[in-house]
Amino acid sequence: MPAAVKGSIQIEGQEIIISNLDKLLWPEAGVTKLIYLQKLAELAPFLLRRCRNRLLTTIRYPGGIHGSFFYQKNAPQPLPDFVTTAEHEGIRYVVLDSLPTLLWMGNLASIEFHPSLHYIGQTLPCEWIIDLDPSVEEEPRIMEAASYVGDCLSSLGLESVPKTSGATGVQIIVPIHYGITFDELRAIGHFVARYVTEKHPDLFTIERLKKDRGNRIYFDYLQHYSGKTIASAYTPRAKKAASVSTPLTWDEVRRNPKPSDYHLLNIGARLKQTGDLLEQVPPQSLELILKHLLNK
């Protein structure tokens, strides 16, 4: 990324005002805002692909990850000319569709990027995401749990891509053919959740109340609604390790990595080696599963 000149940088013909480049956003990892902007530029080809044409919510940490934070849905003002927006239910969202927009948001200390589960102006889900949410801060069984879910999906004839949440959990993404409804996706999710929970009752739960989960991992199949968001693949997270939500291979999952193994300081080298793992799995049909499940 070009070096800063008089408080601004030129990116793709756009001038972006930048400030406080020596501000430590992740103190433990030594990541300043300057380093963060450089790493965002590395992540851009991957993160933009996952957020493009979706409603975007960001989480901003102006004082760094240990300071106060807030969720940003409405586009912040003043808005540069190169930033495009989309309105949904009275909220004017930023559309993350370019490197200048991404770096402008990075300068505002937007650390986490959470896109909607549907495209702008559409009402149907654009992908299926299974969220495995630990009930404890450090869960050594999370990759084991993900592997069981992956095996279940495989038995249904579905390819999937696991990814670290960047925090404590794991999400499993199933690229799907467009046309399925949110209600249908939740029905399939409930079927898979019930299966793995009955097979591994000490590991999984579908109990919604956290106080009733014990130390079991919550299989969240209920999050698929219009307007809901989830941490994007390739988004940084506000964790001490400066972790990044990172797609993995199933072989990697079986080696039991930690989410903190993938972070801003090594993600660029990894992506040069692996490419976008999410692009290597084609969209798949869920019609046959729905036919049997809903007796259509």
Side-chain angles (χ1 to χ4, degrees):
M1 188 178 73
V5 179
K6 296 182 179 179
S8 69
I9 53 176
Q10 293 286 333
I11 297 289
E12 296 181 357
Q14 305 294 342
E15 183 179 26
I16 304 167
I17 305 300
I18 55 177
S19 60
N20 301 319
L21 291 180
D22 59 350
K23 180 72 175 180
L24 272 171
L25 296 180
W26 285 268
E28 288 82 1
V31 176
T32 63
K33 187 190 285 187
L34 174 60
I35 294 172
Y36 178 46
L37 294 177
Q38 292 169 335
K39 299 307 177 181
L40 276 184
E42 287 184 336
L43 285 167
F46 306 89
L47 183 57
L48 292 176
R49 190 180 295 131
R50 305 268 63 92
C51 293
R52 186 171 285 119
N53 198 28
R54 304 198 202 186
L55 305 170
L56 183 70
T57 298
T58 62
I59 310 180
R60 291 174 58 185
Y61 291 78
I65 65 166
H66 298 303
S68 60
F69 65 91
F70 60 94
Y71 288 77
Q72 181 96 59
K73 290 182 178 287
N74 272 302
Q77 300 296 328
L79 205 61
D81 292 341
F82 57 80
V83 176
T84 57
T85 61
E87 188 170 346
H88 178 76
E89 297 183 348
I91 297 174
R92 177 66 61 178
Y93 291 88
V94 168
V95 179
L96 186 52
D97 58 0
S98 70
L99 178 57
T101 297
L102 177 60
L103 296 182
W104 169 73
M105 299 184 82
N107 182 65
L108 295 177
S110 298
I111 282 178
E112 299 193 9
F113 298 83
H114 296 241
S116 62
L117 299 172
H118 60 87
Y119 295 127
I120 294 170
Q122 303 294 317
T123 59
L124 299 178
C126 50
E127 61 187 349
W128 180 20
I129 302 180
I130 294 170
D131 190 16
L132 302 180
D133 185 15
S135 300
V136 295
E137 186 63 27
E138 295 289 336
E139 176 52 86
R141 305 172 299 169
I142 188 63
M143 293 297 168
E144 176 189 6
S147 186
Y148 288 143
V149 176
D151 289 343
C152 179
L153 294 173
S154 181
S155 74
L156 294 172
L158 296 174
E159 293 184 71
S160 58
V161 181
K163 77 174 181 74
T164 66
S165 70
T168 58
V170 168
Q171 283 112 31
I172 299 170
I173 300 177
V174 183
I176 57 174
H177 288 154
Y178 194 74
I180 192 172
T181 68
F182 279 106
D183 287 342
E184 290 170 332
L185 211 50
R186 285 193 300 275
I188 298 175
H190 182 223
F191 169 74
V192 176
R194 195 176 64 222
Y195 174 82
V196 298
T197 300
E198 290 175 356
K199 193 168 183 180
H200 306 281
D202 294 331
L203 185 60
F204 293 99
T205 180
I206 55 175
E207 173 57 58
R208 296 184 68 183
L209 296 178
K210 192 168 185 177
K211 67 181 182 65
D212 295 329
R213 296 177 192 168
N215 67 345
R216 293 171 295 173
I217 296 167
Y218 178 48
F219 189 121
D220 187 356
Y221 66 91
L222 292 170
Q223 65 182 326
H224 287 281
Y225 284 94
S226 177
K228 289 279 190 178
T229 66
I230 197 165
S232 174
Y234 308 111
T235 181
R237 301 302 300 268
K239 298 297 179 180
K240 291 181 180 180
S243 51
V244 172
S245 180
T246 304
L248 307 173
T249 67
W250 285 112
D251 283 342
E252 287 177 317
V253 167
R254 285 185 278 272
R255 292 197 288 269
N256 197 33
K258 297 178 180 178
S260 58
D261 291 342
Y262 311 97
H263 50 76
L264 283 171
L265 299 179
N266 65 13
I267 190 65
R270 172 182 171 81
L271 294 178
K272 286 180 181 179
Q273 180 181 11
T274 66
D276 190 345
L277 295 177
L278 288 166
E279 289 294 294
Q280 297 174 24
V281 176
Q284 298 155 91
S285 173
L286 300 177
E287 291 301 323
L288 186 59
I289 298 172
L290 277 173
K291 181 179 179 180
H292 289 289
L293 189 60
L294 304 179
N295 295 317
K296 287 189 172 183

